[in-house]
Every structure is written in structure tokens, then in C-alpha cells.
Amino acid sequence: MKLNRRDFLKASAFIGSLSIFGIGLGKVAADENFRPTSSRKKSSTKTGQEPEIKVDLKTGKVELNPNYVMRNSVCLGCFSVCGNRLKIDKKTGQIVKVFGNPYHPNSAQNPLKYDAPLLEAYLSASRYEEKGIINRATVCPRGNSAFETTYDPQRILVPLKRNGERGSGKWKPISYEELLNETVNGGKLFQEIGEDREIEGFKQVHDLKTLIDPNRKELGAKVNQMVFLGGRYDGRTEFTKRFVQAYGTVNSYGHTGICGGARRVAFQAFTDEWKKSPHMKPDFDESNFIIFFGTAPGQAGNPYQPIARKTANAASEGNLQFVVIDPILPNLTGTKGKWIPIKPGQDGALAMGMIRWILENSRYNEKYLSAVNEESAKQIGYPSWTNAAYLIIDDPKHPNYRKFLRAADLGIGAEDEYVVIDRDTLQVSTNKKSKFGQILFKGEVQGKDGSKIPVKTSLMALKENAEKYTLKEYSQQSGVPVEKITWLADEFSKRGAKVGTDHHGGPSMHPNGFYSSLAIILLNALVGSVNKKGGMSKSAGGFKTFDEGPKYDLLNIPGAQKPKGVKLSREKFAYENTTEYKEKVAKGENPYPAKEPYYPFAQEMMQEIIPSAIKGYPYRPKILLNHQMNPLYTVPGLYQKDIIEGLKDPKNIPLIISIDVVMGETTAYADYIVPDTVFYESWGLPSVWNGMVNKVSATRLPVVTPKTPKLADGRHINMETYLIDIAKMLGLPGFGDQAIPGTDGKLYPLHRQEDFYLRAIANIAYDGKKPVKDVKPEEVKLVEIDEALKGFEDILKPEEWKKVLYVLVRGGRFEARENAYEGDDLKYKYPRVLNIYNEFVGSSKNSLTGEYFEGTAAYIEPAFSDGKAIKEVYPESEWPFNLISYKSRFRSTSTLANISKLRNIKESNQIQIPREAALKLGIRDGDQVKIVTSTGEAVGQAKIRDGLMPGTIAIAFGYGHWEYGSRTYQVGGKKVSGNEKIAAGVALNPIAHREKNGNMVNDPVSGAISRNDTRAKLMKL
């Protein structure tokens, strides 16, 4: 779609209302702490800065400024990974300004055609032929400022070794050679400071044969005692995965467990895809009605920019109406958006209330839900089908209780056929013999031995769960009036397939997060919006990159042994398969509860690593290797006295190595620190977030020279260099001379990071029916990419090199949006059965209670692991407030506290309090107040809010650091002064609640942590 100037200004005004005017609406006051000032030093808004180009508005001729070069990259101001263009001063080599990449659909509503000459990227920001209106690419405030990390005075730029007890802030610089030798070979590494303990290094722990515990063989080999924390999804994650796979440990963790983990696992249950993590978002451009649960366009959510822009455009130029369900009012001034406040943790009550209304009023898509296989779904115009009509065994005495009834159970077909009641004949049949089935059936069928088997359909199981509560009860739980529940259900179910839901951490970061997420997801299945234009998209994904591609296979390592064993977090492993369970059963004991909970469906529960290490259950690690992760700051309830004391004791984790750019809260407790490159100094090929309906593969190369030390062979110290050198010292497969398989049958070397990333970009360039074009010499010259990549030409074949450069100069490879649809369907579909009921979940048990999990959506009260409701343990009469965190537009993640421009815009967060509660307590704006929880206290400045659910206190995430450059520490006896501004504000996580036994509060199904359920008291100081 082309925008004229009028259309652009309308959409811009909409986006402006999202991102500038604050929370708005009614009496909601502006934030007095918002101070848009800047020191102007190295500022991207510096008024006296020379323009990078001049454009003749009559001819379109572009005149380049020889003092600057422009290069495309990918932003990490948050994890939306938008495409950026960087203006670099040739004299200083420094970044001085950031633009959006006009080829990248994250950054431009109407991106340039991929084969458009690179010179068009300059015109796209000009007034020539209104190209700056039509194709303008943008960056958000975070993206415009995040390049400051490159020049952060607090950066760690040399290898460090602790020179005192852990956490003492005493360090000494060491050489890279010492770092490698000591961390690989181990020894009495801290003898010089009085610690006589023998510490095993990577070499000793890399033992693939010796069992951790011969009496518990399921734990696996000693190699599993190397634990890796990382996975920032910044485009470098696949490199760390390669190292972990080559090393052979099962213990590798990203941040999923503390960031929308329940949502991801709920989508896995919905798709029954447990190896990958497919999840869906609305087709924002074409939708007519979207419900945002716990997120809002222009406030939060990934990908941040395109959601705001697409929602703005669809609402101003299309038919989109959207609703935000959230305890805190987002930025909706001047939009068509509606805000419905809700009690924290009660999104599931609202969603189940909507489901009840839709089912009771027959507003579900009966035709779609009745289809029992792919053929019948296609016959009625749908690319996928559901298991709504499949029969579940409902007899507790049956050996397959809570599983689907198979044709083999009745003697009418094979094990892979599911039994249904044919819609037309009303006879027992199978999903292969019938086209359509009854969807609301409950009764008995006859087994092949003549016995009666009680059964019900998947949709009936959902209906029964929805009917456990009335709409009035759902209203009381959620705080959403009945008339609004029915209005939402009516609006959502009357618009056909052009509807969708979007949610992330808001509804999912609670101990009932899995079921709340699943209920939200199933709303889309009930109306048949999945895979439809304007409905729910699984995302087009990207071009083949690291996996087995058209040129190279960068994920599969020849000769690598598949990691085996129980993970330290006890995820992806059923308690019933443990020695502990089997021994209890053999003794005739009730095997429940387990000593510690197991999470067979969970993903990357990094919150459990340090607590499990301290407890020594199921075993203790010997090495913790951390790559820029900061659990002590980001995990609710982790930074508390018992954890810190346990972390200080080397017997719990003998060796901690942190690869980082700054002294983060977790890195401060490391034994060794490896300096890393920041994102504009690094390679990275991040996958696009869901929400893109056309293929997107972005590329990041080092656009400026890294500030970390340069080694004799020309490489700079960073994560990749360190891991490559460890791997080569140990002789790990997948590194060294014969490392990377090519499709030509040859093995190629991996000695430097470019060997890995350039070959991955070759896959991007050649994927699909046709590869990209060869780069033109004038485009190489335009961005001087030949100079940036000098010395790496021999990595690829000459014909590959030209196509890789074509991708790099454009910042990636981007499919045209017009390829996104096939009639009324999305081109990129989830083509398999969608699960109203998941038998894997429904036939599994809670490892503590021994009770079965629900296999479909249900309303579950937020509760601790023993089943006691949080509000019963901490009654409202004593603990009247519920603490929640939310994403600030000016901080968002934990990694932006050292960005001075963002601090200048928003110096601190506040403790936001509903007006009625503040009046009752005599609290005014700016007063100092104290929050008291069951685990601690926090003091901050009060901010009175109208747009806040009663009984809720809101605190913006990302503030209140106690490290991350805020604290002074010593290197070689010299002080590295801290910046107290980084410590400004309040951090919620250190005062978040824990279980009575000290455990983290996790969702028992998904393993995701509880972030927004802590009960609190409040007092004026």
C-alpha cells in the first residue's frame, strides 16, 4: 500500500499519540519525571551535525558527504531486532546517528523493494518525490540511543579475574592466554588469595563417560555439570548452541522461563509441537478486531515498532478496532483503542468467560471445528483443522485415561487413527474414514471386548471447564464487568476470521500462566482465524540460515554426541522416569510429592539454575558459563540473602565465568570475566519475531571496530573467539579444520567467527527458488563494505561472496509483502492439526500433588505449588496490594540503564498507586513511600495514577540497578567509579515473593516464573 502525505500524517499522528503523549485519557496526569534533555555529546539529534547526503529535489541526484559512511545493521535496544542504518564518522570511526533501514519491514511500513538500488535508501529519507513519506524507515527512542553502549565508560574491555571473595568488587586484569589456560585446565586458581580449593576446568568437566551418580543413571555424565546461560536471541545464540552441542552438555538455557514462557508452552500444546516453539500473532495489517492481553501497541510487545505502526495504519485507514486488557492504562490517547482494566493474573478468567459465552450462544465456527482431517478442512476453505471432535477416554480405570481413543482400541482401524462420532451418520468412525465429526458429544462407545468406554470430545472438555464458573463469577475474579465480557465475546465472534489475540508476559508470567495463555489462544480456534488473512499468523519466519541450508549446515556437527540426561532445572523430564519415583513405588510408598518439582513441558528455566546448584538437587554444577545474562536482576525473588550467600560459596558452583560487556548484577559474582563485543561490533543473524507475514532475515556485521583487545592473529576478544579457542584446545567436533559440512560434500574450517556467520549468510542468499543478485561494484563502494570485510574473502567461493555482499549491504533479505497471501489464506501456514485438547498435557501429572493436569484451557486461581491460592496465604485484609511490573518505552529491558540519553528522558521510575488508595493513605505525588512484601522492602517516589486497576501497584521494569555500572569496584587496586544515576528508581524483583520453602514461584505446567503476583503493603514515609 502506498501512502500519500495526508495518509502519512494521519498515521504519524496516531503513532505519535502512542509514543509521545504518555498515558493520557481523562484525568490521567503527565509524568513529571519526564525530562527530555540531553547533553548533546555524540548525540543523534545534534543540531550542528553535517548531513550525510544532499539530495537535489528536482533531479533526485544524491551527493554523498565523504566524511561519513552509512552501513546497515540490526538494533538491540530491545529484542524486536529492527533494521537500522548507522551513520559513521570516518575520521573517528564512531557511530554518530541512527536511521531505520528502509528495506526492513520492521522499520518501514512500505519498505523499499528488495532489488531497489542501494542509492534509493538515501532517497527514502528525503523529500524527493515524497519518498521520505512513502518509504521512510524509523527508529524508536531506544533504537536511537542504544549505540551508546559502544562508548559506555563502564564497559569491561580486558579479561578480569576476581581478586577477593565473590561479589567483593575486587578484580585484577589478566592476559587472554592466562584466561584460556586457567579456565580450560583448572587447578588451584585462587591460591594467591587464600583459597586452596582445586577447581576443575572445561577439560576435566568434559567427561562423557563418568556418571554424575551411578545410582541415578538418568542424570547422565559428568559433562552435564557444565551449565551455560545465554540465549538473548540477538543473532549470536546459534553460535553458543553449537559450542554447547559440541561440548555435550544438556544444560543450556535462554531467558524463556522468565519471559513469556507460559505463552510459548501453551502454543506448543496448541500445535502439539514440542521440539520447536511455534507461536502466533495477528495479521495486524488486515485484521478487523484484535484483543491485546497484557501488552499494547506503542507501549510494549515484540516486534515493538511494527506492531505500533501496523496497528496505527490499520486503525486509521482500515477497519481495525482493538482493545487492550491490562491492569495499567497504556498509551491510547487519540486512538480507536479501548482499555479494559483487569486484576493481575486474572486474564484466564476473562478468556474463559468469553469462551463460555461463545459456546453457550453458538457463536463458534461449527463448520471449521467439525472438520476432522486436512482434506475435509480444505474442502470448506481452511488450511488446518482441529481435534475438537476427537474422543477422549473419560474413564479413570481405563489404562489410557485422559488420552484420545484410538481406532485400534475399538478394533476399527490403526493406532494412528482417532475415533470420532460422524456428524452425519452419528456412528462411531475415525478421523480417516469420516470428514466431519460431532464436536459436543459425551457418552459411551463400545470397546472391541464389548465393554463400555466413557468418552467426550475435546470441545466438550473445554465446554465443561468453561461452565465450572458463571459469567458473574468470572467477572468477580477478573474485575471485568459481565457486560464487558459479553461485549468482547460478541465483537470477537461476529467478525469472521479477521480477528486475533496478542499476548506475551502480561497474562503468562503468573502461576496460572499456561492455562490463561491457552484460553486466550483457543479463542482463535473457536472462530477459525488461524492461518487466515487478517487472522492469526504463525509468521513467515526467515530464509534458511543456520540449519541445513542450500550451501552449508551450521547446526549439525559431524561426530558430536547427542547430549543426554536430566537438566539441572528438571525441565523436559517426567518425574515418573526418575530413580526417586521408582524407588518410592518399589517400597510401596506414595511417590508424590517429588523432592523438588519436575517440569516435563517447560523451556529454559534459567531461574532454577542457581537455586538448584545451591541445593545440590538433582546435582551440583562444576562450571557456570554465562553470556550476558543477568538472572540476579531479572528473576523475581532471586536476589535475596540465602541465594547470595549460596552463590558466594564456591562449593556450590566452583567456577563461574561471565562473558559480558559491563559489570552486571550477576557478572559481579563471577570468578572470571571475558570482555565481549557490543552488538554494533558483533556479527548476528537474528530471526524475526512473529507478526511478519512475509519472510525476513536480518543481518548484522561489525560496523565499527571492536574496542576489545586485538589478538596477534587479528581477532578481537569476544564470546565467539573465546568459545572457538576453548573448543580447539579440547579438540571438540565442529571446530577447527574439518568443522562445517557443505552441500558439496566437503568440510570447511571454523577458526574465526566469520567462518560461521558468512557461511550462514550464504545460506540466506541462496535459499529459495532463486538466489539474490550479485552485488554491484558501486554498492560495495557506497558502504565501503570491502574495507569492513577485508581479509575474509577467502572464506567463501567467489560467486558466493558477491551474493553475500548483496545481502549485507541491504541489511538482510526481505520478501515482498505481496507474496504473503494466497486468496483469503496466509501463504505461510501452520498446516497441521490444532489442539483444543492436548493429551500429552492432559495425561501427565503434577510432580508435587500427583494430580493430572488439565488437557485444555481452564480457569485456575493463581496459587503456590501446594495448591493454596496466593490471596488465601496473603489475604487482602493484610496485604492489600498486588505488585506488577510493566515495560517502559524508555527502558524496556534490563540492559539500557547505561544509556545516558534514555536516562535523561526518564531519570527514574516511580511507585505508581491508584488514586483512591493514595487518598486513603494520605499519599501525594512525589512522597517517599515504602513497599513491604513477605521477602523484603523497597523505598521510592510515589506517583498517583487514575489509569490503574484498584488494588494494584505498578513499577516500570529496568530501573534500580545495584550493579551494572552503578557501583564502584576495583581493578588492579584502582577504582572504577560507579554512576549513581544508574541506580535511580526501584527494582521490583528483589522483593518478589517466594514459596514458603524458599523455591521460586513457577507455573507448574510451563515452568514460567511468577512475576506479577506478589502481595504487598504500602506506607508513607
Side-chain angles (χ1 to χ4, degrees):
M1 187 193 77
K2 297 292 185 183
L3 288 178
N4 58 31
R5 187 175 184 83
R6 179 183 62 84
D7 293 334
F8 174 79
L9 291 173
K10 286 174 69 178
S12 296
F14 181 94
I15 295 173
S17 71
L18 291 175
S19 59
I20 295 174
F21 290 108
I23 51 184
L25 295 190
K27 298 184 293 181
V28 180
D31 188 343
E32 294 176 2
N33 198 251
F34 179 93
R35 299 176 183 174
T37 60
S38 173
S39 64
R40 300 293 186 189
K41 185 177 180 181
K42 295 182 187 147
S43 173
S44 60
T45 57
K46 184 177 179 181
T47 54
Q49 198 177 94
E50 293 180 64
E52 60 280 1
I53 58 164
K54 292 182 180 178
V55 177
D56 188 311
L57 297 183
K58 293 182 179 179
T59 65
K61 180 182 178 181
V62 176
E63 181 183 341
L64 302 179
N65 187 331
N67 296 325
Y68 300 97
V69 64
M70 303 287 290
R71 288 178 181 151
N72 285 317
S73 186
V74 182
C75 180
L76 270 184
C78 68
F79 295 104
S80 295
V81 292
C82 297
N84 282 356
R85 296 176 71 225
L86 302 169
K87 179 180 177 182
I88 300 166
D89 188 320
K90 289 185 182 180
K91 292 180 182 178
T92 64
Q94 292 190 342
I95 301 165
V96 294
K97 193 170 183 178
V98 182
F99 302 82
N101 178 357
Y103 290 101
H104 198 307
N106 263 27
S107 305
Q109 179 67 14
N110 296 288
L112 289 176
K113 290 186 176 181
Y114 189 63
D115 59 359
L118 194 57
L119 209 58
E120 285 287 321
Y122 292 93
L123 293 175
S124 71
S126 77
R127 289 160 47 208
Y128 174 67
E129 294 183 348
E130 290 196 337
K131 290 182 182 292
I133 303 295
I134 298 169
N135 301 120
R136 179 177 292 276
T138 59
V139 288
C140 73
R142 300 190 293 248
N144 219 344
S145 309
F147 74 90
E148 276 193 14
T149 58
T150 314
Y151 313 111
D152 180 10
Q154 304 285 343
R155 269 190 73 178
I156 296 169
L157 294 174
V158 296
L160 298 178
K161 179 179 180 181
R162 69 174 171 89
N163 201 29
E165 71 169 1
R166 282 184 186 164
S168 65
K170 296 179 180 179
W171 303 90
K172 69 175 183 178
I174 59 173
S175 70
Y176 181 66
E177 290 72 24
E178 288 176 299
L179 170 73
L180 272 176
N181 177 61
E182 293 182 19
T183 57
V184 170
N185 295 316
K188 294 186 177 182
L189 302 178
F190 297 95
Q191 195 171 34
E192 71 271 21
I193 58 171
E195 297 180 19
D196 202 40
R197 179 185 296 270
E198 187 81 24
I199 298 173
E200 294 178 280
F202 286 104
K203 183 178 180 179
Q204 292 78 28
V205 178
H206 185 241
D207 183 342
L208 299 167
K209 295 181 180 179
T210 305
L211 294 176
I212 294 173
D213 184 345
N215 295 319
R216 293 186 294 161
K217 294 181 180 179
E218 71 271 15
L219 302 183
K222 182 178 177 179
V223 68
N224 288 339
Q225 292 178 283
M226 197 286 280
V227 178
F228 176 79
L229 290 182
R232 300 173 69 235
Y233 309 116
D234 59 355
R236 302 168 77 191
T237 302
E238 279 70 20
F239 193 94
T240 61
K241 286 181 179 178
R242 183 181 187 86
F243 174 80
V244 169
Q245 182 184 352
Y247 194 83
T249 180
V250 297
N251 280 305
S252 178
Y253 302 88
H255 76 293
T256 295
I258 64 164
C259 181
R263 169 183 177 269
R264 289 177 170 88
V265 177
F267 269 115
Q268 286 184 312
F270 181 54
T271 58
D272 203 33
E273 174 56 76
W274 298 98
K275 290 184 179 179
K276 295 184 178 180
S277 187
H279 50 281
M280 303 174 186
K281 281 185 177 287
D283 176 10
F284 296 100
D285 288 300
E286 300 292 338
S287 185
N288 288 340
F289 192 76
I290 297 174
I291 305 177
F292 293 91
F293 287 86
T295 185
Q299 176 71 45
N302 282 330
Y304 172 71
Q305 269 205 102
I307 289 178
R309 186 184 298 108
K310 290 172 182 292
T311 304
N313 189 68
S316 61
E317 299 301 315
N319 298 313
L320 176 64
Q321 183 177 359
F322 66 94
V323 181
V324 174
I325 312 294
D326 201 295
I328 187 169
L329 175 66
N331 306 287
L332 297 176
T333 305
T335 77
K336 291 183 181 179
K338 296 181 183 295
W339 172 57
I340 297 178
I342 192 169
K343 294 178 183 178
Q346 299 296 339
D347 303 81
L350 171 58
M352 289 303 293
M354 291 176 63
I355 288 172
R356 174 168 183 149
W357 188 92
I358 289 169
L359 290 171
E360 285 182 342
N361 291 274
S362 299
R363 292 287 288 273
Y364 50 89
N365 189 333
E366 184 175 5
K367 182 172 67 171
Y368 168 67
L369 293 169
S370 297
V372 297
N373 55 47
E374 183 178 12
E375 181 185 351
S376 56
K378 286 182 177 178
Q379 179 181 319
I380 58 173
Y382 289 89
S384 63
W385 70 106
T386 74
N387 64 8
Y390 294 7
L391 296 180
I392 307 162
I393 298 171
D394 199 24
D395 180 2
K397 297 179 181 179
H398 196 284
N400 290 326
Y401 175 50
R402 302 176 71 86
K403 294 184 178 181
F404 286 118
L405 185 66
R406 267 43 175 211
D409 296 327
L410 305 185
I412 60 172
E415 181 66 25
D416 63 348
E417 291 182 71
Y418 297 93
V419 178
V420 301
I421 303 296
D422 189 276
R423 184 189 66 183
D424 301 320
T425 68
L426 304 183
Q427 298 299 307
V428 173
S429 184
T430 76
N431 69 312
K432 291 187 177 181
K433 295 183 177 72
S434 290
K435 290 186 175 182
F436 302 96
Q438 281 197 306
I439 54 177
L440 288 172
F441 174 84
K442 183 173 183 176
E444 293 180 334
V445 297
Q446 186 170 306
K448 61 183 177 182
D449 61 356
S451 62
K452 298 291 185 180
I453 305 175
V455 294
K456 59 185 172 186
T457 61
S458 294
L459 192 65
M460 179 59 78
L462 176 62
K463 184 173 185 288
E464 288 180 346
N465 279 353
E467 290 174 346
K468 288 179 180 178
Y469 299 93
T470 64
L471 287 183
K472 183 178 180 181
E473 288 170 326
Y474 284 129
S475 173
Q476 291 169 342
Q477 292 290 352
S478 65
V480 179
V482 170
E483 59 270 22
K484 289 188 178 179
I485 296 176
T486 58
W487 177 82
L488 282 167
D490 179 44
E491 290 293 323
F492 190 81
S493 60
K494 74 181 183 182
R495 298 169 185 256
K498 290 196 170 188
V499 298
T501 60
D502 189 24
H503 77 286
H504 201 89
S508 69
M509 302 312 293
H510 300 273
N512 62 355
F514 173 81
Y515 288 109
S516 294
S517 291
L518 189 57
I520 292 167
I521 293 165
L522 289 184
L523 286 167
N524 302 286
L526 290 180
V527 298
S529 67
V530 177
N531 295 321
K532 304 298 284 185
K533 184 177 182 179
M536 291 294 284
S537 164
K538 79 164 186 67
S539 178
F543 295 89
K544 285 191 175 180
T545 306
F546 298 105
D547 48 357
E548 188 174 355
K551 288 293 178 180
Y552 303 96
D553 184 352
L554 294 146
L555 284 188
N556 294 310
I557 301 175
Q561 180 174 308
K562 185 178 180 179
K564 299 177 183 177
V566 177
K567 301 185 80 169
L568 190 62
S569 60
R570 306 172 305 283
E571 66 187 60
K572 296 292 184 189
F573 201 89
Y575 168 58
E576 290 77 11
N577 293 328
T578 66
T579 300
E580 176 187 337
Y581 175 89
K582 294 172 184 176
E583 287 178 344
K584 287 181 180 178
V585 171
K587 293 176 183 178
E589 299 174 357
N590 180 357
Y592 303 99
K595 185 176 180 181
E596 294 289 341
Y598 281 74
Y599 303 92
F601 316 107
Q603 288 186 33
E604 300 183 327
M605 294 180 64
M606 55 92 84
Q607 72 266 27
E608 287 294 312
I609 301 309
I610 294 174
S612 296
I614 293 170
K615 290 180 179 180
Y617 185 90
Y619 50 87
R620 281 200 167 94
K622 292 181 180 291
I623 300 175
L624 176 61
L625 177 60
N626 175 46
H627 179 223
Q628 291 197 36
M629 292 290 272
N630 195 2
L632 289 183
Y633 181 83
T634 59
V635 174
L638 193 61
Y639 188 76
Q640 292 175 9
K641 185 177 179 180
D642 60 329
I643 297 294
I644 297 308
E645 292 303 316
L647 194 57
K648 285 181 177 180
D649 188 343
K651 83 171 188 299
N652 294 322
I653 310 175
L655 181 58
I656 302 176
I657 304 158
S658 198
I659 307 169
D660 214 334
V661 298
V662 71
M663 190 66 71
E665 281 77 6
T666 305
T667 293
Y669 287 89
D671 299 310
Y672 293 86
I673 303 176
V674 183
D676 199 12
T677 43
V678 299
F679 57 96
Y680 286 137
E681 301 170 337
S682 303
W683 288 92
L685 308 175
S687 58
V688 68
W689 269 87
N690 288 55
M692 289 296 163
V693 294
N694 48 302
K695 284 190 175 183
V696 176
S697 288
T699 58
R700 185 175 65 243
L701 76 162
V703 294
V704 292
T705 303
K707 291 188 171 296
T708 56
K710 189 174 183 179
L711 302 174
D713 60 7
R715 298 177 304 154
H716 286 263
I717 299 175
N718 69 349
M719 175 269 288
E720 289 89 347
T721 297
Y722 179 60
L723 297 186
I724 287 171
D725 289 348
I726 293 172
K728 289 169 68 175
M729 288 176 72
L730 297 177
L732 299 183
F735 293 84
D737 291 329
Q738 305 264 308
I740 299 171
T743 55
D744 57 4
K746 297 180 181 179
L747 289 173
Y748 292 89
L750 178 48
H751 294 291
R752 50 191 173 174
Q753 60 184 351
E754 288 76 16
D755 291 332
F756 183 78
Y757 292 109
L758 285 170
R759 291 191 173 95
I761 300 170
N763 279 341
I764 294 173
Y766 279 88
D767 189 28
K769 295 179 180 179
K770 290 175 60 178
V772 302
K773 297 177 180 179
D774 291 347
V775 72
K776 293 182 178 180
E778 57 266 29
E779 293 188 339
V780 173
K781 184 178 179 181
L782 197 61
V783 298
E784 299 180 8
I785 198 166
D786 50 344
E787 288 297 316
L789 298 179
K790 195 171 184 179
F792 303 132
E793 302 90 342
D794 63 332
I795 291 173
L796 300 172
K797 300 178 180 72
E799 64 271 20
E800 294 174 345
W801 185 251
K802 293 177 182 179
K803 296 186 185 302
V804 164
L805 292 189
Y806 188 90
V807 173
L808 283 172
V809 299
R810 284 163 173 75
R813 186 177 178 185
F814 313 107
E815 185 183 29
R817 178 169 171 77
E818 50 262 32
N819 297 335
Y821 303 106
E822 294 175 341
D824 290 332
D825 296 336
L826 293 161
K827 177 182 178 181
Y828 299 102
K829 312 170 185 69
Y830 188 82
R832 297 189 288 279
V833 63
L834 298 169
N835 293 261
I836 304 294
Y837 178 92
N838 187 284
E839 70 171 358
F840 180 27
V841 177
S843 60
S844 298
K845 292 183 176 182
N846 184 313
S847 63
L848 296 183
T849 66
E851 296 176 357
Y852 284 106
F853 292 121
E854 289 286 350
T856 188
Y859 171 66
I860 306 293
E861 176 75 16
F864 292 111
S865 60
D866 60 4
K868 290 183 180 178
I870 292 172
K871 67 181 183 183
E872 292 178 8
V873 178
Y874 297 104
E876 188 176 326
S877 58
E878 297 178 46
W879 306 87
F881 295 99
N882 195 127
L883 296 184
I884 65 168
S885 64
Y886 70 97
K887 295 288 183 71
S888 164
R889 290 166 294 139
F890 308 112
R891 196 61 64 95
S892 176
T893 68
S894 65
T895 58
L896 296 177
N898 54 346
I899 307 298
S900 64
K901 291 181 181 64
L902 295 178
R903 288 202 309 269
N904 289 338
I905 292 172
K906 178 77 173 175
E907 295 175 352
S908 175
N909 62 1
Q910 299 88 31
I911 296 173
Q912 300 191 20
I913 309 164
R915 184 172 299 278
E916 184 178 345
L919 290 172
K920 185 177 180 180
L921 294 171
I923 296 171
R924 298 181 179 182
D925 271 346
D927 284 349
Q928 288 292 105
V929 294
K930 180 166 70 174
I931 298 171
V932 179
T933 72
S934 61
T935 58
E937 300 177 352
V939 174
Q941 187 182 74
K943 179 66 183 175
I944 313 307
R945 287 287 303 266
D946 290 294
L948 190 57
M949 188 72 183
T952 303
I953 291 175
I955 298 174
F957 182 69
Y959 294 85
H961 279 273
W962 54 95
E963 291 283 356
Y964 217 81
S966 67
R967 176 190 173 206
T968 297
Y969 59 92
Q970 293 181 8
V971 176
K974 295 182 179 179
K975 285 187 178 181
V976 178
S977 296
N979 182 349
E980 62 181 15
K981 292 182 179 180
I982 294 172
V986 178
L988 181 151
N989 286 339
I991 60 169
H993 63 185
R994 303 251 295 267
E995 295 273 359
K996 291 291 186 182
N997 62 2
N999 283 357
M1000 301 297 110
V1001 182
N1002 296 324
D1003 173 21
V1005 183
S1006 70
I1009 200 160
S1010 161
R1011 183 181 297 281
N1012 294 313
D1013 302 278
T1014 302
R1015 303 299 304 182
K1017 303 173 185 178
L1018 181 70
M1019 56 193 71
K1020 180 180 176 180
L1021 297 180

